[in-house]
Amino acid sequence: QVQLTESGGGLVQAGGSLRLSCAVSGGTFSRYYMAWFRQAPGKEREFVAAIRWIGYSTNYADSVKGRFTISGDGAKNMVYLQMDSLKPEDTAVYYCAADPLVTLGTIPTKIYEYDYWGQGTQVTVSS
């Protein structure tokens, strides 16, 4: 069974950077759509970014375009989210998610489309 473990969260000042990591076990990340979602206090979980390794493609939420970058490392079976120019509104628990790659279609962006989830890592951006 695929297991996802996030790390790299922490406290950072506005304008700073953080790099989140998602370790994939029980499967190869290239066989999945891999994504990052986040959930801020009192808000619904929302899509942040996703990557399709085979037939390479990425997708980003408008709120993070130009600031966040999703990437992968096949040798380490890891997925990353580089977050730059962080804003207080980026404060949330960030979750790694995976959806089996069965077609080279549109990258999924909805919560219900993903089958596997990590436990999340807290990111706090101070004003």
Side-chain angles (χ1 to χ4, degrees):
Q1 189 81 327
V2 173
Q3 293 187 6
L4 309 175
T5 305
E6 305 95 333
S7 62
L11 175 64
V12 64
Q13 294 184 359
S17 299
L18 282 175
R19 188 193 194 196
L20 305 183
S21 299
C22 176
V24 183
S25 62
T28 303
F29 87 86
S30 62
R31 297 180 179 179
Y32 299 82
Y33 290 99
M34 299 297 301
W36 290 94
F37 288 78
R38 67 186 182 186
Q39 187 166 20
K43 297 183 179 180
E44 296 183 348
R45 193 169 299 185
E46 65 176 359
F47 172 78
V48 176
I51 184 170
R52 186 182 68 207
W53 198 250
I54 299 175
Y56 186 84
S57 184
T58 58
N59 195 6
Y60 297 90
D62 289 340
S63 60
V64 305
K65 286 182 179 178
R67 299 189 298 122
F68 291 10
T69 303
I70 188 170
S71 63
D73 185 328
K76 296 182 178 180
N77 208 27
M78 300 277 286
V79 176
Y80 306 98
L81 183 68
Q82 177 67 43
M83 305 184 294
D84 298 319
S85 301
L86 284 163
K87 304 174 181 179
E89 50 263 46
D90 294 319
T91 295
V93 175
Y94 283 71
Y95 298 89
C96 181
D99 181 43
L101 180 61
V102 296
T103 182
L104 298 182
T106 303
I107 295 177
T109 60
K110 305 298 183 182
I111 294 174
Y112 69 83
E113 295 179 296
Y114 285 83
D115 295 330
Y116 305 100
W117 295 83
Q119 292 299 116
T121 185
Q122 176 71 49
V123 172
T124 302
V125 184
S126 62
S127 301

